[in-house]
Amino acid sequence: TVLLPHLGASTAEAEDAAASMAASTIRSFLETGTIRNSVNFPSTSLPNCPDHSIRFTVVTRNVPGMLAHISEVFGHAQLNILQQINQSKGNVAYNVVDVDTSGHGVVDFKDVQEKITMLDGVLSSRVIYGVPGTGYAKNLEGDYFV
């Protein structure tokens, strides 16, 4: 199921433009993790993912120490953070993190993602790779849901 925003357009041209904008916004989110024009999430965008890297997105409660805990998981997995952004809106924070995969053999991203997702204060995470819209995980009151 894909939920689309209320468009509020009153002419055929406005409806087409609004629908095109909504589709472009959703596509950008699925492919890059970029958030634009959201009511309850902060606008967030990183440049393109560098070569030999994987992009993670992490939704957290907006509380002190969350970035440190997330960074610690990447450090324990010997993954270097190439670039990241953290934006908050109210009590929600959204993080986009690109980690370097060069020089690594096989990296168990599922294990890294599970450790991040199960951190206290993390609501959900996503590893952006392959088919857009896949790689989502959620912390459901202490249970890991993929």
Side-chain angles (χ1 to χ4, degrees), residues 20 60 94 110 121 133-134 144:
S20 177
T60 67
Y94 182 66
K110 289 184 179 189
T134 61
Y144 185 62

Side-chain angles (χ1 to χ4, degrees), residues 9-146:
S10 60
T11 66
E13 293 83 9
E15 286 177 8
D16 288 347
S20 177
M21 183 196 74
S24 174
T25 299
I26 291 168
R27 181 178 184 170
S28 181
F29 172 75
L30 292 174
E31 292 178 347
T32 69
T34 296
I35 294 179
R36 291 189 314 248
N37 306 316
S38 176
V39 174
N40 49 2
F41 268 81
S43 293
T44 308
S45 178
L46 263 184
N48 288 338
C49 199
D51 290 340
H52 307 292
S53 67
I54 294 289
R55 180 163 286 180
F56 284 78
T57 66
V58 186
V59 179
T60 67
R61 291 187 185 96
N62 187 18
V63 296
M66 288 308 308
L67 278 175
H69 296 306
I70 293 167
S71 296
E72 189 175 325
V73 173
F74 287 123
H76 283 307
Q78 301 298 303
L79 294 169
N80 185 44
I81 296 173
L82 296 173
Q83 61 182 357
Q84 68 181 4
I85 189 168
N86 168 279
Q87 299 287 345
S88 62
K89 189 171 195 173
N91 57 3
V92 173
Y94 182 66
N95 308 273
V96 182
V97 182
D98 293 340
V99 294
D100 187 6
T101 59
S102 62
H104 291 278
V106 175
V107 178
D108 188 354
F109 291 113
K110 289 184 179 189
D111 183 55
V112 172
Q113 183 180 23
E114 182 173 358
K115 286 178 180 171
I116 288 171
T117 304
M118 296 312 296
L119 291 170
D120 188 36
V122 171
L123 304 174
S124 66
S125 67
R126 189 162 58 109
V127 180
I128 299 177
Y129 66 96
V131 178
T134 61
Y136 179 79
K138 188 167 175 91
N139 183 341
L140 294 172
E141 299 178 11
D143 291 325
Y144 185 62
F145 174 78
V146 184

